[in-house]
Amino acid sequence: MKRKSLERVGWPTILSFLLPGFTGFLLFIFIPMISTLGVAFTNYSGGPNWKFIGLRNFQILLTSPQFHQSLKVTLTFAVYTVILQILMGLLFAVLLNQQLRGKTFFRSLFFMPNVLSTVGVSLAFSMICNPALGFANQILAGLGLPGSAWLTSTDTALMSIIIVTLWMSFGYYMIIFLGGLQSINPALYEAASIDGATGFQSFYKVTLPMLSPTMFFAMTISIIGSFKVFDQVFMMTGGSLGGGPAGSTNVVVFDVYLNSFTHYKFGYASAESLILLLIVLAITLIQFRNQKKWVTYDI
Amino acid sequence: MTSKKIIQKCTTWILILITSLFVVVPVYIIITASFKNERDIFEAPMALWTSNSGLFNFKQLDKFPLYIWNSIKVTFFCTVIQLGTASTSAYAFSKLKWKGRDTLFVLYLMSMMIPIQVIIIPQFMVIKTLGLYNTHLALILVGSFTVFGTFLMKQFFITLPDSLMESARMDGAHEWTIFLKIVLPLAKTVLATVLIFSFRWFWNEFFSALIYLTSPELKTLPLGMTDFVSEYLVYFGPQMAAAMISIIPVMILFFSLQRYFIQGIASSGIKG
C-alpha cells in the first residue's frame, strides 16, 4: 500500500521538482563537460574558421616546457597544501576537542578566514609579503632572521601562495575533523584506558582508525580543491600577466585561463583542461581503490 | 594535575595562541592599513590608529558603491534562486521515486570534482550563444544551481520519515503542497545553512565575474578589486580599504551565524 502511493507521483510532478536545478546543471556543467572533449581536438580560437586537427594539441602539449612546468607547479602545490591542510586540521581538531576554556571561540576564529574573499585576502598578503617593507620581513628581522623575497623570487613565490591558501583553509579541515571526532563512541576510549593504553596509543589505535572515513573525505576534497586554485595566483602574481615569476606559480588552471582568455587558443586550452581532468579523475579513482586498505567503516 | 598533564596543557595553549596570531594579524593589518597613509602603513610597530589616520583611502574608492551594489544584486538573486533549485532538486532526489535517480545524483556529485576552469570555454560559448556575455544575468544563471547545496538538503530530507508524506498523499495533497507546507517549514535550519554558503560564495565569487563581465560599470566587488592589481605596485592604502569593504560584511555575518556555517561543514563530512 505504502509503496504504491509513493510510486503514484507522475513524471510531470517529478520534472517540476527536478528541472529548475537540472537545467542549469545541464547547460553550464554537463554540456560544457562533453563539449570540452570535442573542442580539444580542434584549433578553435573563437572565430568562424576552425577545423578538426586530431591529436595535434596533445602532441604540442606533451613537448611544451610551459605545460610541463605548470604540471609540476600544480602537483607541488597539491602535495604541500593537501598534507599541510590535513595535518593542521587534524592537530587543531584534536586540540580543540578537549575540555578547554574558550574552545568554541577558537574554533570559530580558526574557521573565520574561510569565509573571507580570496581576492581581499590576497591583496592583504601581497602587502604583508612586500620584500622591502612588508610585515613578514619585519617579523623575520625582529627574530634576527634574513628576509625573504616572497612573491618576487622563483624559490619562494609558490610557497607564499601555499601559506595564504593554508591560512584560509585549515579551519575548514579542522571543522570536518571535529565532526568526525565527535562521532566516535566514547566507550572506545574507556575500553582503551582500561586496557592500559597511553594517550598516544589510544590516538593511534582508536582515534585514527575511527577517523579514517572523515580522513578519506577530507583528503578527497583537499586534493580536488588544490587543483582548482586560481584566485590567489591571479591576484598575487599580477593579474592576467600573472603566473610568475618565470612561471613558478603558473598552475595548470591558470595556464588554461591564459591560453583561452589572453591568447584565445581555445582548442589548445581545452586539450590542456582535458589532461588536467584526467589527472584529477585518476588520482580520485586511485584514492577510492586504496580506501579499502585503510578506511574503516565498521565497528 | 600531574606534571605531564601541565606540559600538555601548556603546549596546547602555546599552539593555539601562536595560531590565533597567525589568523588575526593579517586581518588586523587590513584594518589598520585601510585608515593610514602610505608612509605610516609600513611603520613598525603597527598602531591601530595614528594622528595621521583618517578615511582618505575610502574616499579614493569612488567606484566602489557601484561595485557593492552590483555584488548585492547578483548575490541576492543567486542566493534566492539557489535555495529554490537546491531544495526542489533535493526533494526529487530523496523523496520521489523515479528511474535513473541515483545514477543522476552520482553524476551531480562527480561534477563537484571538476575545476570550473576546465569547462569554462564551452560554458563561455553557451553564455555567448544565449546573448548574455557581459551581463549580470550570465553570473546569475551560471550560479542558478548548487550541487553542494543539493547534497546538503538531500542529506537532511533523507532523515524525514516517509510516513509524513504518505499521510498527506493519502489525503490527496499534491506533491507541491506537501513540499511547501510540510517539508520546507521543517527544513529551516538546513535552508539557513545553504543560504549562508550561497551568500558567502557569491559575495566572494571572482572567476565567473572575471570571465563574463567586461564593462567597468558591471563589475562586482571582487572584480572591482582587480583595479588595484598591475605589474607595478600601486598604493596599498586604498587596496586595504577595498579589502576591508569586502571582508567586514562576511565577517559580521559569520560571527553572528557561526553555528550554521560550522554545522554545514561538519554535516557534510561525517560518514554516511
Side-chain angles (χ1 to χ4, degrees):
Chain A
M1 186 65 185
K2 266 193 170 177
R3 180 155 278 271
K4 202 175 172 205
S5 60
L6 250 182
E7 279 161 3
R8 207 176 54 198
V9 181
W11 274 105
T13 312
I14 292 168
L15 289 178
S16 72
F17 277 97
L18 187 64
L19 281 184
F22 184 68
T23 313
F25 177 79
L26 194 70
L27 266 181
F28 301 118
I29 301 282
F30 190 71
I31 293 177
M33 211 171 76
I34 303 298
S35 328
T36 299
L37 280 172
V39 180
F41 298 95
T42 69
N43 65 355
Y44 184 62
S45 62
N49 300 316
W50 57 271
K51 61 175 192 281
F52 192 78
I53 55 165
L55 291 171
R56 266 290 296 286
N57 287 327
F58 294 92
Q59 277 170 349
I60 300 170
L61 276 171
L62 287 178
T63 54
S64 152
Q66 187 173 337
F67 182 62
H68 291 173
Q69 161 84 356
S70 66
L71 271 183
K72 209 182 97 194
V73 172
T74 307
L75 291 175
T76 315
F77 178 85
V79 169
Y80 278 101
T81 41
V82 172
I83 292 175
L84 292 172
Q85 279 170 343
I86 300 280
L87 285 182
M88 265 182 92
L90 186 59
L91 173 70
F92 286 100
V94 171
L95 290 183
L96 292 176
N97 198 34
Q98 313 173 78
Q99 282 309 323
L100 209 66
R101 197 181 294 247
K103 62 179 177 188
T104 321
F105 169 77
F106 286 110
R107 283 176 192 173
S108 305
L109 184 72
F110 292 171
F111 180 73
M112 180 267 296
N114 195 256
V115 304
L116 305 182
S117 131
T118 317
V119 174
V121 168
S122 301
L123 283 180
F125 273 90
S126 305
M127 190 180 92
I128 293 166
C129 293
N130 185 294
L133 307 152
F135 186 71
N137 279 351
Q138 280 182 25
I139 290 197
L140 289 178
L143 296 170
L145 297 166
S148 165
W150 301 108
L151 288 160
T152 50
S153 152
T154 49
D155 299 326
T156 50
L158 189 63
M159 187 189 78
S160 310
I161 296 201
I162 291 171
I163 292 174
V164 180
T165 310
L166 198 63
W167 185 82
M168 290 199 76
S169 63
F170 83 94
Y172 185 87
Y173 293 91
M174 176 192 75
I175 297 294
I176 288 176
F177 283 124
L178 268 169
L181 286 175
Q182 280 159 10
S183 67
I184 299 177
N185 186 347
L188 290 172
Y189 290 108
E190 280 163 34
S193 79
I194 289 167
D195 290 346
T198 62
F200 182 73
Q201 278 171 332
S202 71
F203 177 76
Y204 197 72
K205 296 277 185 189
V206 179
T207 311
L208 279 188
M210 292 308 291
L211 211 54
S212 55
T214 316
M215 183 76 85
F216 177 72
F217 174 81
M219 272 177 73
T220 309
I221 57 166
S222 172
I223 291 170
I224 293 167
S226 66
F227 278 92
K228 293 181 184 178
V229 62
F230 179 86
D231 299 4
Q232 296 95 306
V233 176
F234 186 94
M235 291 306 290
M236 297 179 74
T237 65
S240 31
L241 304 160
S248 59
T249 59
N250 187 24
V251 288
V252 175
V253 289
F254 193 83
D255 205 50
V256 169
Y257 165 80
L258 285 183
N259 280 324
S260 33
F261 295 99
T262 311
H263 307 306
Y264 301 104
K265 295 195 283 188
F266 289 134
Y268 184 74
S270 290
E272 210 174 351
S273 305
L274 208 57
I275 293 179
L276 181 70
L277 190 59
L278 287 177
I279 294 174
V280 180
L281 272 176
I283 293 177
T284 318
L285 273 181
I286 292 169
Q287 243 219 313
F288 270 87
R289 285 249 164 125
N290 275 340
Q291 67 164 323
K292 287 188 202 102
K293 289 184 195 151
W294 61 277
V295 179
T296 338
Y297 283 105
D298 41 36
I299 308 179
Chain B
M1 235 196 276
T2 61
S3 62
K4 207 180 143 198
K5 276 231 164 111
I6 294 172
I7 294 173
Q8 210 182 343
K9 205 110 217 190
C10 286
T11 326
T12 303
W13 274 109
I14 291 170
L15 281 170
I16 288 176
L17 292 176
I18 290 177
T19 311
S20 300
L21 279 180
F22 175 63
V23 169
V24 168
V25 166
V27 178
Y28 177 76
I29 289 178
I30 296 174
I31 298 173
T32 51
S34 63
F35 295 116
K36 290 182 184 173
N37 64 35
E38 293 301 309
R39 199 162 35 90
D40 292 348
I41 283 176
F42 291 111
E43 172 197 54
M46 237 184 319
L48 183 58
W49 197 262
T50 66
S51 53
N52 295 328
S53 299
L55 291 172
F56 40 83
N57 289 321
F58 292 91
K59 285 183 185 136
Q60 290 192 42
L61 306 174
D62 46 345
K63 290 189 200 120
F64 272 64
L66 182 64
Y67 298 159
I68 293 170
W69 171 242
N70 289 338
S71 265
I72 291 175
K73 205 166 86 180
V74 172
T75 306
F76 174 79
F77 284 112
C78 284
T79 307
V80 170
I81 295 173
Q82 279 203 349
L83 279 181
T85 57
S87 54
T88 48
S89 326
Y91 190 74
F93 278 122
S94 59
K95 292 295 172 195
L96 302 176
K97 282 199 168 176
W98 40 282
K99 227 180 140 189
R101 183 180 83 170
D102 296 340
T103 320
L104 189 62
F105 192 69
V106 170
L107 197 69
Y108 257 64
L109 286 187
M110 268 169 53
S111 78
M112 280 207 270
M113 282 173 41
I114 302 166
I116 174 74
Q117 294 88 346
V118 167
I119 53 167
I120 192 67
I121 299 158
Q123 198 193 73
F124 179 76
M125 295 192 288
V126 171
I127 288 291
K128 260 200 147 155
T129 314
L130 295 173
L132 296 173
Y133 180 59
N134 198 24
T135 64
H136 283 152
L137 196 56
L139 297 192
I140 294 170
L141 283 186
V142 167
S144 66
F145 62 98
T146 158
V147 175
F148 179 70
T150 309
F151 172 72
L152 275 188
M153 298 284 297
K154 182 186 178 244
Q155 297 288 83
F156 173 79
F157 287 158
I158 289 173
T159 66
L160 296 177
D162 280 334
S163 54
L164 204 67
M165 279 128 250
E166 289 305 323
S167 49
R169 278 181 201 134
M170 296 290 193
D171 293 343
H174 189 266
E175 212 57 38
W176 274 95
T177 320
I178 300 174
F179 174 73
L180 292 172
K181 293 265 164 75
I182 301 174
V183 174
L184 274 193
L186 288 170
K188 274 185 196 129
T189 321
V190 70
L191 278 171
T193 307
V194 176
L195 182 134
I196 285 165
F197 275 91
S198 303
F199 174 86
R200 176 194 72 152
W201 172 258
F202 288 109
W203 186 255
N204 297 332
E205 204 285 326
F206 174 65
F207 188 69
S208 298
L210 177 70
I211 301 300
Y212 292 122
L213 304 179
T214 50
S215 309
E217 71 274 10
L218 288 179
K219 283 186 182 181
T220 53
L221 190 52
L223 189 60
M225 282 195 269
T226 59
D227 291 359
F228 298 114
V229 177
S230 76
E231 250 188 315
Y232 315 100
L233 281 181
V234 273
Y235 297 101
F236 285 112
Q239 274 189 14
M240 291 309 112
M244 185 154 141
I245 289 174
S246 79
I247 278 174
I248 300 297
V250 254
M251 249 171 80
I252 294 172
L253 186 83
F254 170 67
F255 277 108
S256 42
L257 298 170
Q258 38 178 306
R259 192 164 63 94
Y260 294 108
F261 275 97
I262 286 176
Q263 193 182 353
I265 300 286
S267 65
S268 67
I270 298 170
K271 48 190 152 180

